[in-house]
Amino acid sequence: MASGIEDFKRLAAERAVEFVESGMVVGFGTGSTAVHATRAIGRMLRDGRLKDIIGIPTSEATAAEARKFDIPLTTLDSHPVVDVTIDGADEIDPALNLIKGLGGALLREKIVAWSTKRFIIVSDYRKRVTQLGTRAPVPVEVIPFARSPVTRYLESLGGRVVERVRDGATFITDEGNIILDCHFEGIDDPFGLAQSISVQPGVVEHGMFLGMASLAVVASPTGIDLLSRA
Ligand code: 5RP
């Protein structure tokens, strides 16, 4: 029975792992929801419900969690096609467009998702929005050298830019970059904004995942919804 947000996260992840089959290459997402999928797959490998899974982690933190369960890990060099990836999100709109990256792993997450046949999002009900940008900022991963020009450029696009700080210091991603969180308070044209952000030199990647998710598994007090992209 679910009583709190943590339970909804776990229930969504445990439902999503039902789409994983023995022999698959699996992308392991990052964050407090996706970690439940990593743990569930780890348990299923241990008790024999799954066999011959090989995983591609989307962050160093996720790799460490997978190693706790002795899940074999690989890279996109050895396994360029991922059968299924299970990851979290910070916003999910009705077309399954997403904002991701509040956990700081958006770059590797997007690379893995882009290489994936079936990209499944797991979430509690709070992440569903009618319009992107109304609940979460758009994280933009930036080369440190380009901090100032990219900040000015993102402000010119209408964003309120806040450089991400963790434990009192600039947050540094697994790839050695910084993150600029851009608050837009509602994004009317996500595809246009994504394109505008991408053209600026120094921007490595942004946290809008558009047209990529094929399924969202969302747990709420009324049950688990499976939302497919039309
Ligand atoms: C990390 C992410 C996460 O999937 C996203 O931030 C959701 O995290 P959580 O499940 O902890 O709310 O994109 O880069």
Side-chain angles (χ1 to χ4, degrees), residues 8 12-13 30 32 35 39 48 51 59 74 83 85 98 101 111-112 127 131 145 159 170 176:
F8 294 127
T30 295
S32 61
V35 72
R39 290 174 185 159
K51 276 190 238 153
S59 64
T74 186
D83 293 300
T85 291
L98 316 168
I111 293 166
V112 173
K127 311 289 185 64
Q131 185 185 26
F145 181 77
T170 297

Side-chain angles (χ1 to χ4, degrees), residues 5-44:
I5 290 299
E6 277 309 312
D7 290 322
F8 294 127
K9 293 179 183 183
R10 182 179 49 76
L11 286 171
E14 290 178 355
R15 177 70 182 84
V17 300
E18 292 176 22
F19 295 97
V20 177
E21 294 170 17
S22 292
M24 281 184 165
V25 180
V26 179
F28 288 97
T30 295
S32 61
T33 314
V35 72
H36 291 291
T38 304
R39 290 174 185 159
I41 290 170
R43 288 193 297 271
M44 291 163 88

Side-chain angles (χ1 to χ4, degrees), residues 6 9 29-35 58-59 87-91 99-107 109 121-124 126-127 135 139 164 179 207 209:
E6 277 309 312
K9 293 179 183 183
T30 295
S32 61
T33 314
V35 72
T58 55
S59 64
D87 204 347
D90 302 303
E91 287 190 349
I99 289 179
K100 284 182 52 53
L102 291 195
L106 66 106
L107 177 55
E109 289 174 335
I121 292 302
V122 287
S123 164
D124 64 78
R126 299 171 308 163
K127 311 289 185 64
R135 179 179 195 274
R164 192 173 301 182
I179 291 188
F209 286 50

